[in-house]
């Protein structure tokens, strides 16, 4: 199903404050960089280091599964954070909430770098790790939703796909910083790395926290939220919805958002975390598994350009078309990708990660940046985007490494089981595009969701 929206009134079209647009882009980008810096260093550490440091008594396979389980716990907390902070963002504004979430997320990551390990305090190290991972997940639960909503509401209507994708360059920068840092750490001796050096990437996140908070303090509230405030003042009644009302009103579009995210978010975790754990388990890569982290560096460098390209392309041909072909590509690519990993060449690991993330994932993420905010009405946009993003994060990305590691353990590291898992997630997104309304050009002051009658605030 595809539905094209009529242009909004002339006074709503492309009235953009260039200074605030730049600040919104920077504020969203720095937050995205910090979130994905945290995301990658935790994902890499859980796949390669945390098992031995915090879960040593479980043995190599059991410790890896337990460490990846803590990775999943963070994703389980994200929907709660998304609902709580999403509702706050719809009630009190985007800016305040985004300052709170960045502080909570970054502070938790920094404290992880100070944790005592199993050798020092036994099981308490693992308990503290899980607690901080939950706090990190609560903050991250609204961070990306807020960044997506914020930049979309500041961007000019006709170029919303391009501008909404720009902050997601921050994702690639954060990925590059996280993966690059671990790639450099891999050059150190094993004793140094597992002794103290693993803490450095987590402690460095404090710098990004300070930068992000300062930038966000200088940002004004988004034009769409200001329009919502004015509508409430004029009508003398509540226009904004509660969490329950928002979920009830937007149930269909939330499910669409979840379906769209399965392939994008799921494969992002599969190619960045599960793939590394799989490569480390293969005898062909013995002694060089940590070098495979350079694949994340390659993928991030490619993605810096491709996420913006696909976002801009969605301004020309539509969000749904770009998303559909990206999901189709990821479905088809899964089988040759994971077979190539069995050949034992590090350069093939880099190619698979570069193509899988840099093209497959970004072809879905690029149009998604504008598509998700456009799916929801102005009175509950933050809640709708956060709910769709974070429930899908649990169902797709959060459990992907844990499920994948369990499947590999059961099948004796069979490559095809991961390929099937990856392809199924992408296929869900591909099929979802056929029930997704085309939202390109939609007014973000509309109170109703895409697919409903257009009503201006």
């Amino acid at each position: 199903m595809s539905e094209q929206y009529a242009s909004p009134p002339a006074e709503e079209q492309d009235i953009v404050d260039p200074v605030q647009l730049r600040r919104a882009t920077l504020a969203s980008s720095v937050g995205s960089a910090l979130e994905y810096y945290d995301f990658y260093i935790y994902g890499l550490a859980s796949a390669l280091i945390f098992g031995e440091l915090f879960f040593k008594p479980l043995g190599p396979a059991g410790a890896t599964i337990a460490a990846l389980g803590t990775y999943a716990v963070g994703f389980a907390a994200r929907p709660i954070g998304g609902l709580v902070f999403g509702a706050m963002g719809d009630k009190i504004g985007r800016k305040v909430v985004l300052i709170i979430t960045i502080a909570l997320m970054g502070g938790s990551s920094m404290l992880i770098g100070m944790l005592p390990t199993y050798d020092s305090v036994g099981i308490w190290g693992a308990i503290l790790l899980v607690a901080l991972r939950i706090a990190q997940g609560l903050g991250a639960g609204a961070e990306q939703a807020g960044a997506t909503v914020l930049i979309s509401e500041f961007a000019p209507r006709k170029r919303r796909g391009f501008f909404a994708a720009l902050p997601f360059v921050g994702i690639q920068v954060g990925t590059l910083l996280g993966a690059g840092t671990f790639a450099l750490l891999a050059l150190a001796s094993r004793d140094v790395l597992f002794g103290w050096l693993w803490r450095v990437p987590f402690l460095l996140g404090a710098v990004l926290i300070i930068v992000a908070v300062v930038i966000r303090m200088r940002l004004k509230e988004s034009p769409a939220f200001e329009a919502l405030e004015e509508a409430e003042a004029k009508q003398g009644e509540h226009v904004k919805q509660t969490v329950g009302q928002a979920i009830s009103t937007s149930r269909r579009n939330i499910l669409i958002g979840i379906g769209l995210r399965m392939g994008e978010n799921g494969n992002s975790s599969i190619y960045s975390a599960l793939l590394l754990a799989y490569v480390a388990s293969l005898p062909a890569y013995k002694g060089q598994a940590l070098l495979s982290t350079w694949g994340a560096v390659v993928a991030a460098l490619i993605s810096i350009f491709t996420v913006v390209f696909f976002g801009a392309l969605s301004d020309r041909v539509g969000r749904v078309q770009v998303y559909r072909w990206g999901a189709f590509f990821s479905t088809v690519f899964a089988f040759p990708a994971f077979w190539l990993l069995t050949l034992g060449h590090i350069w093939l690991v880099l190619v698979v990660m570069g193509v899988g993330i840099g093209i497959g994932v970004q072809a879905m993420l690029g149009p998604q940046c504008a598509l998700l905010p456009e799916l929801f009405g102005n009175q509950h946009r933050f809640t709708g985007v956060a709910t769709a993003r974070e429930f899908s994060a649990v169902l797709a990305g959060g459990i992907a490494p844990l499920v994948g590691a369990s499947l590999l353990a059961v099948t004796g590291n069979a490559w095809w089981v991961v390929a099937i898992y990856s392809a199924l997630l992408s296929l869900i997104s591909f099929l979802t595009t056929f029930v997704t309304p085309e939202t390109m050009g939609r007014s973000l002051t509309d109170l109703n969701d895409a697919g409903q009658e257009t009503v201006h605030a």
Side-chain angles (χ1 to χ4, degrees):
M1 177 173 63
S2 178
E3 181 176 341
Q4 189 71 34
Y5 286 86
S7 297
E11 65 271 15
E12 292 183 18
Q13 295 187 26
D14 297 350
I15 302 175
V16 178
D17 181 339
V19 174
Q20 288 300 311
L21 178 58
R22 286 195 297 270
R23 288 180 180 175
T25 303
L26 186 58
S28 300
S29 299
V30 173
S32 297
L34 177 58
E35 178 179 354
Y36 273 73
Y37 174 79
D38 286 343
F39 172 84
Y40 260 83
I41 61 174
Y42 197 95
L44 292 172
S46 62
L48 303 171
I49 295 174
F50 281 170
E52 181 172 338
L53 290 178
F54 294 97
F55 303 97
K56 184 184 294 186
L58 300 179
T64 298
I65 292 175
L68 291 173
T70 69
Y71 179 86
V73 164
F75 280 87
R78 290 177 69 125
I80 300 172
L83 287 172
V84 172
F85 292 116
M88 287 176 62
D90 283 328
K91 291 289 185 182
I92 64 176
R94 323 309 192 198
K95 175 181 173 178
V96 175
V97 169
L98 286 174
I99 291 173
I100 295 172
T101 57
I102 200 75
L104 179 59
M105 185 175 61
S108 300
S109 180
M110 185 177 64
L111 290 174
I112 288 174
M114 302 178 182
L115 282 179
T117 63
Y118 183 86
D119 288 339
S120 300
V121 295
I123 193 64
W124 283 105
I127 293 172
L128 291 172
L129 178 65
V130 171
L132 288 173
R133 180 62 177 160
I134 290 172
Q136 190 182 55
L138 291 173
E143 175 60 34
Q144 271 303 307
T148 301
V149 168
L150 183 74
I151 190 61
S152 294
E153 292 181 343
F154 271 106
R157 177 176 56 86
K158 293 182 180 179
R159 302 188 66 198
R160 190 179 292 142
F162 169 76
F163 278 101
L166 285 178
F168 285 74
V169 171
I171 289 179
Q172 315 315 326
V173 173
T175 298
L176 191 59
L177 288 172
T181 299
F182 259 87
L184 291 174
L185 296 187
L187 301 177
S189 69
R190 191 178 186 282
D191 289 343
V192 172
L193 176 61
F194 281 76
W196 62 269
L197 196 56
W198 68 270
R199 301 179 184 275
V200 173
F202 293 94
L203 297 175
L204 288 177
V207 178
L208 286 175
I209 302 172
I210 296 171
V211 173
V213 170
V214 170
I215 292 171
R216 290 179 177 185
M217 290 291 290
R218 301 178 61 195
L219 185 67
K220 291 182 180 179
E221 193 50 80
S222 77
F225 185 78
E226 288 180 344
L228 191 62
E229 295 273 80
E230 291 175 8
E232 280 206 333
K234 289 178 181 178
Q235 295 180 23
E237 60 184 18
H238 290 294
V239 174
K240 302 165 190 173
Q241 293 186 335
T242 65
V243 173
Q245 290 172 323
I247 293 176
S248 177
T249 300
S250 300
R251 185 182 298 111
R252 181 178 184 277
N253 282 8
I254 287 173
L255 291 174
I256 286 174
I258 290 173
L260 291 173
R261 289 259 296 160
M262 295 299 286
E264 174 266 320
N265 191 250
N267 277 295
S268 180
S269 287
I270 287 173
Y271 282 103
S272 60
L274 178 60
L275 181 149
L276 296 177
Y278 173 61
V279 166
S281 71
L282 297 178
Y285 296 97
K286 186 177 182 180
Q288 54 180 345
L290 283 174
L291 294 176
S292 62
T293 58
W294 282 100
V297 176
V298 172
L301 287 171
I302 295 171
S303 299
I304 285 174
F305 302 98
T306 53
V307 67
V308 178
F309 169 77
F310 288 118
L313 184 62
S314 75
D315 283 328
R316 299 178 62 87
V317 303
R319 319 288 188 224
V320 174
Q321 285 298 317
V322 177
Y323 214 116
R324 182 174 297 157
W325 286 105
F328 178 77
F329 175 85
S330 292
T331 303
V332 174
F333 181 67
F335 293 93
F338 286 94
W339 174 77
L340 286 173
L341 296 178
T342 65
L343 300 182
H345 302 295
I346 285 292
W347 69 270
L348 284 176
V349 176
L350 272 58
V351 169
V352 168
M353 293 183 73
V355 175
I357 297 174
I359 297 178
V361 171
Q362 304 312 315
M364 291 180 277
L365 180 59
Q368 180 195 116
C369 300
L371 175 56
L372 285 186
E374 290 170 341
L375 280 175
F376 299 99
N378 196 22
Q379 58 191 342
H380 53 254
R381 180 169 296 119
F382 203 142
T383 302
V385 173
T387 303
R389 282 188 60 86
E390 301 315 325
F391 276 90
S392 62
V394 175
L395 297 173
I399 66 172
L402 182 60
V403 171
S406 300
L407 291 173
L408 287 171
V410 170
T411 59
N413 288 335
W415 67 269
W416 51 265
V417 72
V418 184
I420 290 174
Y421 187 28
S422 172
L424 283 175
L425 291 175
S426 300
L427 185 60
I428 292 172
S429 292
F430 176 73
L431 295 175
T432 302
T433 63
F434 290 95
V435 295
T436 302
E438 179 54 68
T439 61
M440 181 178 64
R442 185 171 191 254
S443 170
L444 293 188
T445 60
D446 288 349
L447 293 181
N448 288 351
D449 289 351
Q452 299 177 356
E453 181 182 356
T454 301
V455 177
H456 294 287

